[in-house]
Amino acid sequence: MKKLLSLFLAFLLTLSLAACGSEVPTVDLTGKDLIQPSPTAEPAPSAEPETSEEPAEASAEPEKPEPPEPVVLLDVEDSGEYKIGILSNGACAIVGYSGKSEYLELPDTLNDLPVISIGEKTFYGNNNVKTLVIPGCITDIGKEAFASCKNLSALTLNEGLLTIGESAFQGCEKLLAVKLPDSVVNIGGFAFKGCKKLQELKLPANIEAIEHCTFAQCASLENVELPDSLRSIGAWAFAWTPWQDGLVCEGEWLMLGQGAAYIYNGNGGEVVVPVDYQSYEFNGNTRVTSISLSEGILSVPAYACEALTGLQSISIPSTIQSIGECAFRNTRVGELFFSEGLVSIGKSAFEGSGNVTLHLPDSVSFIDEEAFLRCSSVTLICSPGSYAAQYAEAHGFSVCAP
């Protein structure tokens, strides 16, 4: 009877294995696949070696791609009326022009090399060119590339352009219109300042920031279309334009775009800057006597507090991380206290600010060489050996320990 029972059990086992076939995975009999411990149960000792390896493999950070090689200038060559810079990426930049053309369409290639940029001051002060066409292969227009081209009246920019440098078209007084392609993601400060005949403007669909003074003194600019993508507008960006002058100000602050900038337009006295006004400016309001920046504000933007000649005090929150270019230029600030977290002080930040005393934390890692131009005296109170202390010693400023 026992023999028959054994044969019967063996027969059932054979049937079950046949039914499973080769598609059923081999079961690990260590217990890992068969027993799932409860959240509070201790794992089986035999499972420890495997579980210790798996999280390490899962938590390993993916390899970061190597940063692209920087593009450097290798040589300069002549190409007819043009002078070109040979770049290390196999392309070239236009760095000079000796022609006299009134109609100028820049070439796609020169010396069999693709043209991708226009160098700094390449066409500066060229009064011959009246119509300019820049092809889409050019991605970058350098600083002051076409500044003070007094007779330039027609400009065509094509899709593919990414960057318009600082002051690129500043002082092009006869420029009537400009269509900025949606590919543009960066427009430098002063780029179109003083283009007195410019009447309307539609900003690129994907641009997020407009720098300071970009369209200032465009005396005929009446229509401006701002995209929803715009997050910040620098100080004086549209100052002295009919468009900004015609905007309705509700309360003490004039809002540009969907909160891209807040311009103080009140009666002065004591002013509080709310925490959600990260891009703010006072446009040289001489009636402002006291400023309180709310806790949570991250910077004093470029030119934000310039030329506030009536200012007597300013309260700096502990959250400030940077002081922008010309932030307090020609504003007498006296003594200011900055907390740990401040990292940088920009060019001309305190230029012409009289007697300046700053309490600076160890977190400061950059102060521009020209941050304190034309100051009567400068005293930096900071830890011995800190970056700020070394900066003060190198520039002949007074330095004191906290």
Side-chain angles (χ1 to χ4, degrees), residues 62-70:
E63 292 185 8
K64 295 181 179 179
E66 290 292 328
E69 289 289 331

Side-chain angles (χ1 to χ4, degrees), residues 240-318:
W240 307 292
T241 65
W243 175 74
Q244 179 170 304
D245 293 342
L247 295 177
V248 177
C249 179
E250 297 181 2
E252 293 187 327
W253 295 89
L254 174 65
M255 183 176 73
L256 300 185
Q258 302 299 314
Y262 295 89
I263 303 171
Y264 181 74
N265 198 33
N267 295 322
E270 299 180 359
V271 180
V272 176
V273 180
V275 65
D276 52 341
Y277 288 17
Q278 294 291 338
S279 182
Y280 58 91
E281 58 179 292
F282 288 89
N283 269 6
N285 191 317
T286 58
R287 299 185 301 274
V288 175
T289 58
S290 174
I291 295 175
S292 178
L293 302 178
S294 297
E295 197 71 22
I297 288 180
L298 301 178
S299 71
V300 181
Y303 296 85
C305 300
E306 181 186 23
L308 302 181
T309 56
L311 189 66
Q312 300 173 11
S313 66
I314 180 168
S315 175
I316 303 291
S318 64

Side-chain angles (χ1 to χ4, degrees), residues 336-354:
L336 295 179
F337 293 79
F338 292 95
S339 300
E340 192 70 23
L342 177 67
V343 175
S344 64
I345 298 176
K347 180 180 179 181
S348 298
F350 295 95
E351 179 180 347
S353 294

Side-chain angles (χ1 to χ4, degrees), residues 21-145:
S22 59
E23 295 182 0
V24 178
T26 303
V27 178
D28 184 352
L29 297 180
T30 60
K32 181 181 67 174
D33 295 319
L34 300 178
I35 302 173
Q36 296 296 329
S38 66
T40 57
E42 291 293 328
S46 59
E48 287 181 359
E50 290 189 35
T51 55
S52 64
E53 292 177 2
E54 290 178 359
E57 184 178 346
S59 62
E61 294 184 3
E63 292 185 8
K64 295 181 179 179
E66 290 292 328
E69 289 289 331
V71 177
V72 296
L73 179 66
L74 300 178
D75 198 3
V76 176
E77 296 180 357
D78 290 322
S79 180
E81 296 177 327
Y82 296 95
K83 190 178 290 293
I84 62 172
I86 309 302
L87 305 177
S88 58
N89 62 355
C92 72
I94 298 175
V95 297
Y97 177 70
S98 60
K100 305 294 183 182
S101 299
E102 293 185 0
Y103 176 87
L104 181 60
E105 184 171 355
L106 298 182
D108 294 333
T109 61
L110 286 169
N111 290 6
D112 296 324
L113 297 174
V115 179
I116 63 170
S117 66
I118 303 169
E120 183 175 322
K121 292 189 174 181
T122 298
F123 295 88
Y124 183 95
N126 185 317
N127 291 328
N128 295 305
V129 63
K130 295 181 179 180
T131 300
L132 174 65
V133 179
I134 298 179
C137 61
I138 291 178
T139 61
D140 177 77
I141 299 175
K143 180 179 179 181
E144 297 181 284

